Amino acid sequence: MEDPTASLGVEEVALGEFQPVSDTISLGYSTSTKWLRVRILPAPDGEDTVLLLGKGAPDSLRLFAPVPVSVQDPAARSGDVRHEELFPNWPSPQPGFRITPPEGGADYFIQIKTMGSIRLHVTAQPMTKAIVTTERRYLAQVVYLTSMFIIMLWALHMFTISRLNLFGWFVALQSSWLVNNIFYLGYAKDIVPTLSNETHAVLFRASVFVAAFLTTLFHRTVMSRLEPSRLALRLFDLQLGVIALAFIAYWFVDPVPALQINAACLAASPFVFFANMVTARKDMAPGLFAIRMIYGALSLSFFLNAFTVLGLIQSQSLVQYGYLIHGVTTSSLIVILLKLKVSDMFAMARSAKIQHAKMEHQNAIQKEKTRALSQFIDMLGHEAKNALSVIQMSTSAQMLTHGQRTRSDQAIRGLTNVIDRCNQVIRLDNSEQVLSLEPCNLTAILQRLCSRTENAERITLDVQGTVFVQGDPVLLDVVFCNLLDNALKYSPLESAINVNLASEEGGHSILFENAQGPAGMPDPDRVFEKYYRSNGARTDIGSGLGLYIVRELLQLMGSRVQYIPRDRDIRFKVWFPC
């Protein structure tokens, strides 16, 4: 029964006409008072009965219980019944009344005042069963609110990591819905016991507008990235404008139509989603198809919730837990959307990081090449100047003496060696060195090189039979010439150079040995380094490339070289596998 003027008392209402309704009803968006007449029988086992109602935080809820008139009352007439006004007295966020119906049952009247939307599922249960029902609702609500809070914390965490404004708007959206649900489920007064009914109602309705506005703004932000048609995107702007105007009307004009307009705007969201999805022109993470599927599921959840509110779907479970299903579904779908988005974003970040690392690596390689080129130019310039100085000094005289001619020849030969070694290094570094492996007679190669080398009288060759190895004869000449040249150049004048060829387990070795000269002992850690020359060796023409070339060529042929100093003797050991 509806009381449009909200002026009828319970005694007048008891005489009025009531229309039959089911135990599940939807009310709201009206200033009139609604009355329910409920016939309640006593519990079979004699325990108290609990009248449980639905959810939605009505502005005012009263139960009028029948009280028989005492026969001692002189004004009473036979059969008169008076009503006692009761406030919700069942310890539960959802309203309930603990009562004791008389034998045979009685009519109870429920007065409901609400400007917003509420859904009621009216049941009368024995107290034992009501306790189980209440605990079940408590558990569902706690799990729901906890899930919503965890989702909000996750979004906040992702926002701090990614600084993506979508996460920022979702944090604001989720926070507003959490506040709204706390009011909606009746927990606000538990959190703030001093909150009056009037203040509670005002704050609750205000939270509805805020949540609706932030929801629309969030979805507009998502859709704008897909570049839908200008008209489709303007539908979001229209929603935002209407919600803002309705909020102003709620405070300063009439709250009831303002709430209705706000609800209508939210109900239109699936159609706005559809218009934007259809006209979207840009594919973006997590993919246009995935976004369309997510928003299709969101629209279905919107419709399901709206149909339940309007009473088009008569389902006790949806009436009791529909808001939980809608809230969890909506939040979960948005989380999936954001998760897919941020996964793609992190994948792009990882790819960018890998590309950056590659660029840094290439940059480091280029810097090393530049440094090596600079060293090469410095070395080449220094050695060329030395050689030219010797040549100039030797040729400045009118007649060249034998010594001057010898120094000139040595300088030219040294400069030629420098150029040859530079060319060899270029071929090695550019992987242009041609390798032609064949059986090579080490004994014959060493005998030939030692006999033809300048100052051959200083070289003592000790061989044990004929030794064949797999190698490139041209490159072996280069290797042995470099080692012999180093030994002759950096040992004391007239000192002996020992070359020993021997077979050993798993291969054959050649030991080049000479005494330490004026240049001193080389640094074991840098002896094979490109352009390395000890300070004492810089007075002679050289490139610092000989031993580097030796190591690289031997590695190319599957062999190796070691620097094995002993006391004041410089020794290099070349090893070939069998």
Side-chain angles (χ1 to χ4, degrees), residues 222 286 291 294-295 332-341:
V222 174
I291 296 176
I294 289 172
Y295 270 93
S332 299
L333 288 170
I334 295 175
V335 166
I336 292 172
L337 172 66
L338 295 177
K339 181 68 176 176
L340 292 172
K341 168 67 179 175

Side-chain angles (χ1 to χ4, degrees), residues 291-367:
I291 296 176
R292 283 173 174 165
M293 291 298 99
I294 289 172
Y295 270 93
L298 273 175
S299 299
L300 183 62
S301 177
F302 266 99
F303 282 130
L304 189 64
N305 190 58
F307 291 161
T308 305
V309 172
L310 295 173
L312 300 177
I313 296 179
Q314 296 295 331
S315 169
Q316 180 178 338
S317 298
L318 285 178
V319 170
Q320 291 186 13
Y321 303 110
Y323 70 99
L324 299 179
I325 297 171
H326 175 65
V328 171
T329 302
T330 302
S331 297
S332 299
L333 288 170
I334 295 175
V335 166
I336 292 172
L337 172 66
L338 295 177
K339 181 68 176 176
L340 292 172
K341 168 67 179 175
V342 81
S343 296
D344 185 78
M345 185 183 72
F346 283 159
M348 292 175 63
R350 286 192 296 271
S351 177
K353 187 176 181 180
I354 292 172
Q355 289 297 113
H356 179 73
K358 287 182 178 178
M359 291 177 64
E360 288 289 329
H361 180 66
Q362 292 295 330
N363 192 28
I365 292 174
Q366 190 60 43
K367 285 183 178 179

Side-chain angles (χ1 to χ4, degrees), residues 442-453 461 473 477 481:
L442 286 183
T443 304
I445 293 174
L446 288 172
Q447 288 174 341
R448 173 172 53 82
L449 292 177
C450 289
S451 63
R452 295 181 182 180
T453 300
L461 176 62
D477 275 8
C481 284

Side-chain angles (χ1 to χ4, degrees), residues 39 72 82 187 310 392 467 471 496 519 540:
R39 184 74 177 177
Q72 285 79 22
R82 293 180 181 176
Y187 289 99
L310 295 173
Q392 184 180 22
V467 175
D540 296 318

Side-chain angles (χ1 to χ4, degrees), residues 57-62 85 87 111-114 118 197 205:
D59 298 337
S60 175
L61 184 65
R62 302 289 184 269
E85 182 179 1
F87 295 90
Q111 182 195 62
I112 305 170
K113 296 180 181 179
T114 181
I118 62 171
N197 289 337
R205 306 305 174 200

Side-chain angles (χ1 to χ4, degrees), residues 74-265:
R77 293 176 296 176
S78 177
D80 278 357
V81 177
R82 293 180 181 176
H83 294 84
E84 176 187 7
E85 182 179 1
L86 301 176
F87 295 90
N89 57 9
W90 182 244
S92 167
Q94 295 185 5
F97 300 89
R98 181 176 175 178
I99 57 177
T100 306
E103 186 177 351
D107 288 338
Y108 290 76
F109 294 90
I110 305 171
Q111 182 195 62
I112 305 170
K113 296 180 181 179
T114 181
M115 287 187 295
S117 172
I118 62 171
R119 281 168 286 180
L120 298 182
H121 178 68
V122 185
T123 59
Q125 302 177 2
M127 190 170 68
T128 304
K129 184 178 180 181
I131 291 173
V132 175
T133 301
T134 301
E135 288 178 347
R136 190 176 299 155
R137 289 180 180 178
Y138 259 129
L139 179 61
Q141 291 170 6
V142 168
V143 170
Y144 167 71
L145 291 174
T146 303
S147 301
M148 297 285 279
F149 185 70
I150 290 174
I151 289 173
M152 185 198 71
L153 292 181
W154 171 82
L156 181 62
H157 174 66
M158 296 308 298
F159 176 69
T160 58
I161 293 176
S162 65
R163 294 298 176 185
L164 193 64
N165 62 348
L166 279 179
F167 283 104
W169 285 121
F170 183 62
V171 170
L173 162 64
Q174 195 72 357
S175 301
S176 68
W177 278 116
L178 266 174
V179 172
N180 176 265
N181 287 161
I182 288 172
F183 279 105
Y184 184 75
L185 297 175
Y187 289 99
K189 289 185 178 180
D190 293 333
I191 298 173
V192 186
T194 58
L195 199 64
S196 66
N197 289 337
E198 293 76 13
T199 304
H200 179 278
V202 169
L203 293 177
F204 174 42
R205 306 305 174 200
S207 72
V208 172
F209 287 98
V210 174
F213 188 87
L214 290 175
T215 298
T216 306
L217 188 58
F218 170 80
H219 292 300
R220 188 197 185 283
T221 305
V222 174
M223 295 296 180
S224 64
R225 295 169 176 264
L226 303 176
E227 296 183 2
S229 69
R230 187 181 299 273
L231 179 60
L233 200 59
R234 288 293 174 265
L235 292 176
F236 279 114
D237 297 332
L238 179 61
Q239 278 186 297
L240 292 171
V242 171
I243 292 172
L245 291 174
F247 189 44
I248 295 172
Y250 171 78
W251 289 103
F252 302 105
V253 184
D254 190 340
V256 173
L259 288 167
Q260 290 176 316
I261 292 171
N262 182 70
C265 278

Side-chain angles (χ1 to χ4, degrees), residues 516 519-530 532-535 547-548 551 561-567 569-572:
Q516 173 187 330
M521 301 287 283
D523 184 346
D525 295 328
R526 301 185 61 193
V527 67
F528 296 108
E529 184 180 309
K530 191 191 296 184
Y532 166 72
R533 302 188 74 197
S534 65
N535 292 331
L547 293 175
Y548 171 78
R551 184 189 67 180
V561 61
Q562 292 175 283
Y563 171 51
I564 312 174
R566 185 181 65 181
D567 298 331
D569 290 335
I570 298 172
R571 303 192 308 165
F572 288 93

